[in-house]
Amino acid sequence: MIVVMRREAKPENIEAVVGRVKELGFRAHLSAGEERTIIGIIGDERHLNESVFRTMDGVERVVRVVKPFKLASRDFHPHDTIVAINGLSIGAKRIVIMAGPCAVESREQIMETALAVKEAGAHILRGGAFKPRSSPYSFQGLGYKGLELLAEVREETGLAIVTEAMAPAQVAAVGECADIIQIGARNMQNYNLLHAVGELGKPVLLKRGMMCTMEELLMSAEYILSHGNYRLMLCERGIRTFETYTRNTLDISAVPVLKQLTHLPVIVDPSHAAGDWQWVTPLSMGAVAAGADGLLIEVHPHPDKALSDGTQSLRPARFAQLVAKVRQVALAVGREV
Ligand code: PEP
Ligand code: MN
């Protein structure tokens, strides 16, 4: 529920509303704009009667929040959230490119990839140490050793790191080496994990579950935001449809819809959507044209030898071409790379 105060509301009117909110066992979030103050009521509004506030002095309107998410909503936080990482402002004019292998495989592999993507214009290095694989017989990632390698590469190249945490017990260690903690599609609704990354307060990249709606994605975001962690980015990575020519279907419409519903930056991962390197560049261009704030791209120096997702990984030279094309699209839509 949102209480919109009148332009001429006095500070004591605002204090009275906040006091009543607290008395009723809810939390109040004040947003003081140039024209008026808006008070967001945090808690389960189903048990709250709007007449309680309607009758108070200085109150103009009481709006039930039809949308079940509040902290993620633009209704409540109209300005774009910008996540500052390592000198980058994610969600601002510059489109941020995160690139690297699906998984960290060895020191040589991650270092070679890091140098190549940096040279091509990437801002952040991706690479999984803990890998959520469909088969327990597939390569599961190097685990803690992978985190150590990422930390070394970060030190040597100056690139920020995004890497996945799959369980609450891994969050502290991942948070030590990573600049951004990735929550994978399969864990989008792992609520204990969402609480853990919310509590840690480090930047989070929350991927949309392959069978989840945008509203469910935003409800998961809400778990993280409710801990006061606003350093959060959403990521569209393709959803399951009846189509089989691609691994998933990139829901390009999620970009403008999410940008309208929420203030959080929206990143697109065309690699897991396509499942084939051939479609990654055109999908990246489409994502940027649609308003994405960043891209997450899989790059491997030797895709034929990759231990996971080689088919969808770009060779560094092709990745460099992708960056050049994306730059042109970015300029055309008033952004930059
Ligand atoms: C990944 O980024 O390597 C990954 C496993 O992605 P997703 O969770 O989107 O499948
Ligand atoms: Mn992958």
Side-chain angles (χ1 to χ4, degrees):
M1 196 174 280
I2 290 170
V3 178
V4 182
M5 301 302 292
R6 289 185 190 285
R7 283 173 77 120
E8 63 276 13
K10 301 191 180 83
E12 53 264 37
N13 300 147
I14 297 168
E15 274 168 36
V17 172
V18 170
R20 193 82 181 96
V21 168
K22 290 184 181 160
E23 244 171 58
L24 291 164
F26 291 83
R27 282 190 290 140
H29 184 289
L30 241 72
S31 171
E34 268 173 31
E35 299 228 333
R36 63 188 75 222
T37 295
I38 292 173
I39 303 165
I41 305 177
I42 304 166
D44 189 349
E45 72 175 40
R46 285 175 303 181
H47 304 297
L48 200 54
N49 188 337
E50 57 250 68
S51 65
V52 172
F53 303 106
R54 277 259 174 87
T55 51
M56 293 184 78
D57 289 340
V59 172
E60 183 182 283
R61 266 179 299 144
V62 179
V63 187
R64 279 212 172 261
V65 182
V66 188
K67 300 181 192 102
F69 49 91
K70 293 176 196 167
L71 303 178
S73 170
R74 266 205 201 270
D75 296 344
F76 190 46
H77 185 306
H79 305 294
D80 287 340
T81 284
I82 293 176
V83 182
I85 293 161
N86 209 14
L88 300 164
S89 299
I90 307 181
K93 187 174 180 185
R94 186 179 297 277
I95 285 150
V96 172
I97 302 189
M98 313 180 191
C102 179
V104 180
E105 298 171 3
S106 66
R107 179 179 280 105
E108 297 67 40
Q109 173 251 17
I110 192 66
M111 189 60 82
E112 184 181 349
T113 317
L115 293 171
V117 298
K118 185 177 177 183
E119 169 78 23
H123 310 101
I124 297 178
L125 177 69
R126 64 147 290 149
F130 298 102
K131 293 305 303 175
R133 305 304 302 281
S134 303
S135 166
Y137 311 116
S138 302
F139 175 61
Q140 302 287 308
L142 297 181
Y144 293 97
K145 177 72 198 158
L147 293 183
E148 277 172 30
L149 295 176
L150 285 169
E152 274 182 38
V153 174
R154 183 181 193 281
E155 189 66 30
E156 280 197 37
T157 64
L159 283 169
I161 304 285
V162 55
T163 193
E164 180 165 353
M166 284 172 57
Q170 295 163 357
V171 165
V174 169
E176 256 174 52
C177 115
D179 297 275
I180 306 173
I181 303 177
Q182 178 173 321
I183 301 297
R186 290 154 190 82
N187 274 316
M188 189 202 88
Q189 289 177 311
N190 180 339
Y191 301 115
N192 290 328
L193 186 57
L194 301 180
H195 279 302
V197 294
E199 226 163 74
L200 189 71
K202 272 230 152 189
V204 175
L205 178 75
L206 177 64
K207 294 186 106 180
R208 178 180 180 185
M210 62 193 80
M211 287 168 286
C212 292
T213 63
M214 290 184 233
E215 189 165 294
E216 287 163 337
L217 170 63
L218 291 165
M219 292 311 293
S220 289
E222 206 74 8
Y223 272 84
I224 297 168
L225 297 170
S226 68
H227 285 274
N229 185 359
Y230 274 73
R231 298 160 85 192
L232 177 60
M233 294 150 263
L234 306 177
C235 180
E236 161 59 36
R237 48 76 74 203
I239 51 174
R240 274 216 173 152
T241 67
F242 47 80
E243 182 52 68
T244 54
Y245 275 106
T246 49
R247 180 175 178 183
N248 290 285
T249 297
L250 181 65
D251 184 6
I252 200 87
S253 55
V255 178
V257 173
L258 288 172
K259 289 297 293 179
Q260 190 180 93
L261 289 173
T262 179
H263 49 89
L264 298 169
V266 176
I267 310 297
V268 168
D269 170 354
S271 304
H272 290 85
D276 187 318
W277 67 267
Q278 296 180 85
W279 320 128
V280 172
T281 296
L283 291 178
S284 299
M285 293 164 76
V288 169
D293 297 302
L295 296 168
L296 181 70
I297 313 274
E298 285 189 340
V299 178
H300 197 290
H302 313 285
D304 52 316
K305 297 198 181 82
L307 298 180
S308 65
D309 288 348
T311 316
Q312 67 200 32
S313 299
L314 291 170
R315 291 179 196 281
R318 289 200 172 111
F319 172 66
Q321 290 164 6
L322 175 151
V323 175
K325 289 197 171 171
V326 161
R327 186 168 282 131
Q328 286 180 325
V329 176
L331 287 175
V333 295
R335 308 284 296 262
E336 58 192 40
V337 171

